[in-house]
Amino acid sequence: MSASLAPECNEVKEKYDNCFLKWYSEKFLRGTSTNDECKPMFDAYEKCLSKALSERGIDKMLNEVRQDNKENDAEHIKPSR
């Protein structure tokens, strides 16, 4: 597995990655589950990562980029006809 962008989140990311790979290969691909059982672990990782990005001021840069590219995003994700 790859490391997290924030080293302090490596442990929760590793737990999520392991859970997801096991669920995906053993249940989802075999059609026995469509419910992502690892969502609570993903949520914990996302929370850790968001906190780390915020502490470094990176969240503000991300928000600025997202705002600057709203029109491009809307163009590329609009439903095809």
Side-chain angles (χ1 to χ4, degrees):
M1 296 296 120
S2 61
S4 174
L5 293 172
E8 61 268 38
C9 301
N10 280 343
E11 187 176 326
V12 290
K13 182 183 184 301
E14 183 177 350
K15 286 179 183 177
Y16 167 70
D17 286 347
N18 289 333
C19 178
F20 180 82
L21 289 174
K22 182 176 172 80
W23 168 81
Y24 187 77
S25 63
E26 294 178 8
K27 294 183 180 178
F28 181 78
L29 289 178
R30 295 178 184 185
T32 60
S33 175
T34 56
N35 182 26
D36 184 355
E37 301 164 7
C38 305
K39 180 141 175 42
M41 285 177 235
F42 176 78
D43 292 342
Y45 174 56
E46 185 177 42
K47 181 178 178 181
C48 181
L49 190 59
S50 292
K51 181 179 182 241
L53 293 177
S54 178
E55 289 172 352
R56 292 170 175 87
I58 297 171
D59 61 331
K60 293 175 186 159
M61 290 186 289
L62 287 173
N63 287 334
E64 288 174 9
V65 169
R66 287 180 181 133
Q67 289 299 319
D68 289 347
N69 287 290
K70 251 184 176 176
E71 290 178 15
N72 289 338
D73 290 346
E75 178 66 26
H76 293 291
I77 61 173
K78 69 180 179 184
S80 59
R81 294 179 186 187

